[in-house]
Amino acid sequence: MSSSVLRVATFNTQLLARPGVRFHEQPPYSPEEYEAKTAFIGGLLERGQVDLAGFQEVFHEEALREAVWKAPRLQGATVNAPFADDDGPKTPDGALNAPRVGLASRLPVLKVESIAAFPPGLGQGFAVRRDENGRQQAVPVGINFFERPVLRAEVLLPDSVPLTVYVAHLKSRRPVVLEDEDRRDPAVRALAVVRALLQRGAEAAALRVMLSREMAGRGTEPRPVMVLGDLNDELTSVTTELIRGEQPLPETLKPLMADPGDWQRKNRRLWDLHLYAASDQQAVHIKGTTLYTHIHFGDYQVLDHILFSQEFHSRNPHRIGDFRYLQVYNDHVVDTHMTDMTRNVRTASDHGVPVAEFNLLTPASRQPVQMATPMTELCLPAPRMLNFSLRLP
């Protein structure tokens, strides 16, 4: 079966900024540190032979471009990190404190937009309470935008297949302590943790609504979707599962349904909207090993995810490609809970970098899609010319 290979990564750069610029409670990079950090990023991208990558924690698009172009494979690649520049939000003393996300692609990039506002119709009822009659009522919480705007891009795969890519960096687990609060107070700590969780949960809900609207209404032409992101939680967490969408019903339920066609009808919608995780698909084929992209006080975690739609799932007879392999480059991530050895994260990163490999099928090797078949494909408007836009709250 004829195919070509596509390698996709998500890369938290750990505060990439130009030298001499103050950022995020950190001293500026020296020219030597900047050279080492950009060389680290470019070197890792080259090791992974990456074709398409999403990035987090980028303060300057210029710095990201310089780092990416240090990978020979990505020389001249399209690099975008909208609004990552010296005009970004700052602390009272003038240090940059709102890094952006970015994208690098060897493939043609047709459109890039930065999305800050939650999608219309989502509302703000992320919390509920019961009234005196025991009825639940939504409580508006005032969260209506991403703290770190999401990047949405349209990329052209071989054979002119459009791929929609979302690059995301959700709110971290770091407790949100207000300026006038005592972080040593247990009540303050408890509230601060819930604040972070509520923000991340709201962002996950907003991203899922965006994805559902993007992926609904599939037609006969393939229109795959990927999410590349530091989602700041494990694959089985509530927030990450929310982003992935509802799980398709297992085949074991089919004989239990009164109408044999119910399983097919319900799963058609779920297949269309669900995202599969590269780490989850990898786990099916390997044993005796643990994947991790981050270590926190001895807790080995997968926070950085590559999610993809059914167009790359091996059980889809009308797929355009197959997920093949996931490699996590994490030899620079050290468990400081277990050893005194340290690595200079200023010139590297405290996150491992997942790289997923896909085999793309040629049109001749794909099965044509019929509208009555179980797994229908995504059909959206034709790609537009490259442009930038920003959605603000």
Side-chain angles (χ1 to χ4, degrees):
M1 188 175 286
S2 301
S3 64
S4 57
V5 175
L6 173 70
R7 294 184 179 89
V8 181
T10 183
F11 196 144
N12 185 317
T13 66
Q14 181 70 4
L15 305 173
L16 176 62
R18 292 191 295 106
V21 178
R22 291 188 305 115
F23 60 90
H24 201 62
E25 303 175 353
Q26 299 279 336
Y29 290 121
S30 67
E32 294 76 18
E33 285 179 317
Y34 178 76
E35 175 62 27
K37 190 172 185 73
T38 53
F40 163 78
I41 294 170
L44 199 150
L45 293 170
E46 185 66 16
R47 283 176 64 194
Q49 291 291 282
V50 173
D51 301 298
L52 176 68
F55 298 90
Q56 297 82 37
E57 298 198 10
V58 178
F59 282 109
H60 294 104
E61 181 180 89
E62 174 189 344
L64 180 61
R65 184 173 294 108
E66 185 170 342
V68 168
W69 285 2
K70 286 190 175 182
R73 183 176 179 83
L74 289 166
Q75 284 240 346
T78 300
V79 178
N80 299 114
F83 307 101
D85 53 38
D86 286 334
D87 295 328
K90 297 179 177 65
T91 61
D93 64 350
L96 292 172
N97 70 343
R100 300 285 184 163
V101 299
L103 181 83
S105 176
R106 296 179 68 230
L107 304 167
V109 178
L110 305 174
K111 180 182 179 181
V112 174
E113 57 183 329
S114 181
I115 304 172
F118 284 180
L122 179 60
Q124 298 183 28
F126 296 111
V128 296
R129 66 182 175 193
R130 292 189 182 276
D131 62 17
E132 61 275 7
N133 298 316
R135 293 173 298 188
Q136 290 186 329
Q137 294 182 329
V139 179
V141 295
I143 301 175
N144 56 12
F145 63 92
F146 295 95
E147 284 196 351
R148 305 173 179 107
V150 171
L151 183 151
R152 179 188 177 277
E154 295 176 10
V155 176
L156 203 60
L157 296 173
D159 303 309
S160 299
V161 175
L163 168 67
T164 302
V165 181
Y166 286 84
V167 183
H169 188 189
L170 299 195
K171 175 69 183 78
S172 72
R173 302 183 189 183
R174 183 178 181 179
V176 180
V177 180
L178 304 183
E179 291 183 6
D180 59 347
E181 292 180 329
D182 181 2
R183 64 177 58 248
R184 297 167 298 180
D185 184 334
V188 169
R189 292 288 297 178
L191 284 173
V193 170
V194 172
R195 290 168 185 153
L197 177 60
L198 187 59
Q199 178 71 37
R200 187 167 65 258
E203 291 178 344
L207 182 54
R208 170 29 67 181
V209 171
M210 291 161 57
L211 289 165
S212 293
R213 293 174 180 174
E214 181 94 46
M215 300 168 71
R218 286 192 153 120
T220 59
E221 295 298 323
R223 187 65 189 258
V225 174
M226 286 187 181
V227 174
L228 312 177
D230 175 358
L231 304 182
N232 264 312
D233 221 331
E234 297 277 7
L235 186 63
T236 56
S237 69
V238 172
T239 52
T240 307
E241 286 193 342
L242 173 58
I243 293 168
R244 295 178 65 192
E246 292 183 63
Q247 289 277 359
L249 302 175
E251 291 190 43
T252 52
L253 290 181
K254 192 187 299 186
L256 304 178
M257 293 186 170
D259 182 350
D262 279 352
W263 183 88
Q264 189 75 32
R265 284 188 292 271
K266 291 179 179 178
N267 263 0
R268 180 176 294 126
R269 179 182 63 84
L270 297 178
W271 279 324
D272 281 351
L273 300 180
H274 188 69
L275 292 174
Y276 299 87
S279 57
D280 200 30
Q281 297 296 304
Q282 175 91 331
V284 174
H285 304 289
I286 62 176
K287 58 183 179 180
T289 188
T290 300
L291 298 175
Y292 65 91
T293 67
H294 188 67
I295 305 173
H296 182 68
F297 291 113
D299 185 10
Y300 287 58
Q301 308 165 331
V302 177
L303 305 182
D304 306 85
H305 300 279
I306 297 172
L307 310 178
F308 54 88
S309 58
Q310 61 169 323
E311 283 85 352
F312 298 104
H313 197 286
S314 60
R315 294 190 63 185
N316 181 357
H318 311 294
R319 63 193 182 277
I320 65 165
D322 292 297
F323 167 75
R324 180 176 180 182
Y325 183 67
L326 178 70
Q327 174 77 47
V328 179
Y329 294 87
N330 55 16
D331 52 335
H332 56 278
V333 181
V334 173
D335 187 350
T336 55
H337 183 70
M338 300 289 292
T339 177
D340 291 334
M341 182 178 66
T342 60
R343 300 278 176 91
N344 187 356
V345 295
R346 280 175 61 82
T347 58
S349 174
D350 60 348
H351 283 248
V353 180
V355 179
E357 183 175 304
F358 299 87
N359 276 348
L360 301 180
L361 308 180
T362 62
S365 63
R366 301 178 203 151
Q367 292 189 32
V369 178
Q370 304 297 327
M371 290 303 292
T373 56
M375 291 187 122
T376 54
E377 310 301 315
L378 182 63
C379 181
L380 292 179
R384 287 158 282 182
M385 295 302 294
L386 179 63
N387 65 84
F388 293 87
S389 62
L390 173 66
R391 301 182 192 171
L392 290 173

